[in-house]
Amino acid sequence: MAESKGGSNLSFVLKKPLEVAFEEAPRPTIQTPYDVLIAINYTGICGSDIHYYLEGGIGAYSLKAPMILGHESSGTVVSVGSAVSSLQTGDRIALEPGYPCRRCAACLAGHYNLCPDMRFAATPPIDGTLTGFFILPEDFCYKLPDHVSLQEGALMEPLGITVHMVKQAEIKPGQSIVVMGAGPIGLLCMAVARAFGASTIVAVDIVPSRLEFARSYAATHTFSPARVAAEENAESLLKQIGLPAGVDAVIDASGAEPSIQTSIHVVKRGGVYVQGGMGKANITFPIMALCTKEITAKGSFRYGSGDYRLAVELVGQGKVDVKRLITSTVSFGDAEKAFESVRAGQGIKCLIAGPNEKIQV
């Protein structure tokens, strides 16, 4: 199928911390029979984007050369390789913005999110999706249902992350879960937990407006921690929700040391703790409680097989409402302003329209 010739490939490039520029990048072209060329419609701003913007890195990943930011995107198929059979020009898709080697032990075991050679958008040295056009393999493009908007499609990436987290937490119908942090990821964890059948969903945050929104969105209870010991906050939380023996699972979506410490005291004996939020590399951790309660502690990194597809299905079936999280949409030329607003903690989820997307602002 012939590739479309029109459209800008203007890109939002991070030069170094707090230094960005708009540059016209070379337009990507189809290289393999399974490639899909996508025009980017909308891109959300993730916490990892902010880490790169402010600090030039996150964890083991650091900026070594200028890099295009962004990875939470939706787009429209422009053209496809000769072997692509599930997509055609004009299809609206959600982008799973990283693809693995498909050959290593992790990939062959079905854990491709742990592939050491993952090519993930906006993770050095791979450029991201805040650009006009992007190439992905066919099997990492997910066609959106007709009634799901492209704006909603941009939230499939954070939703896929939270599907993976809730799977890691092993949530079953009727169970209880506490989610530390009521930002976009925490809120989506609550929504997915509800879709999985959790009957008690507790949102924990220090910002009253976040807790108010969480209660109206997916939480059955909210809790605002005090500046006291982790054990005291845990006892108060469990007393408030009427589960003194603890909850089935806790997901930390904050990365904050006090939240992590409290989490271990909130989980019941034999329960599950999932670390999803990224914070300091090393913290003080209540290891004795972890051991004596036989808590199963897990990390959660990106998304694995089936997570993205389930995310699309949850939205398509009306089981998770991502539209309510979108608090603003800005033109591509206002991308830096959008990053500054997210940095300042304004709104829940800000979307940036692609450089060829026409929006009313």
Side-chain angles (χ1 to χ4, degrees):
M1 193 173 289
E3 295 183 12
S4 170
K5 300 296 182 184
S8 167
N9 202 40
L10 190 66
S11 304
F12 186 62
V13 181
L14 178 67
K15 300 285 194 176
K16 61 183 182 180
L18 293 172
E19 183 180 321
V20 291
F22 292 98
E23 297 180 356
E24 190 72 30
R27 181 165 165 167
T29 58
I30 287 175
Q31 300 295 315
T32 82
Y34 296 98
D35 280 352
V36 178
L37 177 64
I38 306 148
I40 301 297
N41 293 105
Y42 295 97
T43 300
I45 300 176
C46 174
S48 65
D49 291 317
I50 297 299
H51 275 285
Y52 283 117
Y53 176 64
L54 294 178
E55 303 155 16
I58 181 170
Y61 305 101
S62 60
L63 191 71
K64 299 291 195 300
M67 178 184 74
I68 299 170
L69 290 168
H71 62 272
E72 298 183 0
S73 295
S74 64
T76 303
V77 174
V78 174
S79 60
V80 299
S82 60
V84 173
S85 60
S86 64
L87 296 168
Q88 60 185 356
T89 299
D91 282 345
R92 303 171 319 116
I93 64 166
L95 288 71
E96 182 171 348
Y99 57 94
C101 76
R102 307 176 191 263
R103 293 179 296 276
C104 69
C107 286
L108 294 175
H111 305 295
Y112 69 79
N113 58 315
L114 304 181
C115 175
D117 294 319
M118 174 71 77
R119 295 181 61 83
F120 198 88
T123 297
I126 309 302
D127 282 324
T129 58
L130 276 169
T131 185
F133 298 91
F134 198 77
I135 294 277
L136 274 179
E138 174 188 16
D139 51 338
F140 286 80
C141 301
Y142 297 84
K143 190 173 178 180
L144 296 172
D146 291 342
H147 62 283
V148 174
S149 70
L150 282 161
Q151 289 93 331
E152 291 171 288
L155 271 78
M156 297 305 165
E157 199 278 343
L159 182 56
I161 284 175
T162 59
V163 165
H164 192 67
M165 286 185 185
V166 177
K167 281 184 177 180
Q168 290 287 82
E170 302 177 26
I171 289 298
K172 301 175 182 66
Q175 287 193 321
S176 55
I177 183 169
V178 169
V179 178
M180 297 287 183
I185 294 297
L187 290 167
L188 288 172
C189 281
M190 298 170 212
V192 174
R194 183 176 64 180
F196 278 29
S199 57
T200 300
I201 303 167
V202 187
V204 179
D205 207 290
I206 59 174
V207 180
S209 60
R210 285 188 169 191
L211 293 177
E212 184 179 352
F213 183 88
R215 188 63 180 264
S216 73
Y217 184 62
T220 61
H221 301 74
T222 62
F223 180 78
S224 180
R227 290 184 176 275
V228 296
E231 293 93 328
E232 290 182 60
N233 271 322
E235 183 179 358
S236 297
L237 187 159
L238 295 173
K239 182 178 180 180
Q240 180 177 310
I241 66 174
L243 293 174
V247 297
D248 293 299
V250 176
I251 294 175
D252 176 72
S254 72
E257 185 171 3
S259 295
I260 295 167
Q261 293 167 342
T262 301
S263 296
I264 301 303
H265 297 293
V266 166
V267 181
K268 73 177 186 180
R269 293 177 180 272
V272 179
Y273 170 71
V274 176
Q275 185 61 49
M278 293 186 178
K280 293 192 297 184
N282 296 290
I283 63 167
T284 301
F285 188 83
I287 191 170
M288 187 63 72
L290 179 80
C291 293
T292 58
K293 292 166 69 176
E294 275 202 4
I295 294 168
T296 298
K298 302 179 182 181
S300 188
F301 187 56
R302 295 174 179 158
Y303 16 71
S305 181
D307 294 337
Y308 234 83
R309 191 167 303 282
L310 180 54
V312 174
E313 290 175 1
L314 289 173
V315 174
Q317 295 170 5
K319 294 180 180 178
V320 172
D321 180 6
V322 296
K323 190 180 295 185
R324 285 189 61 193
L325 303 189
I326 302 171
T327 47
S328 62
T329 301
V330 304
S331 65
F332 196 77
D334 287 329
E336 185 172 5
K337 292 179 183 177
F339 268 72
E340 285 296 327
S341 72
V342 174
R343 175 189 181 186
Q346 298 171 4
I348 299 173
K349 180 59 67 173
C350 174
L351 300 185
I352 300 170
N356 303 303
E357 186 75 14
K358 305 300 181 185
I359 65 168
Q360 293 182 344
V361 293

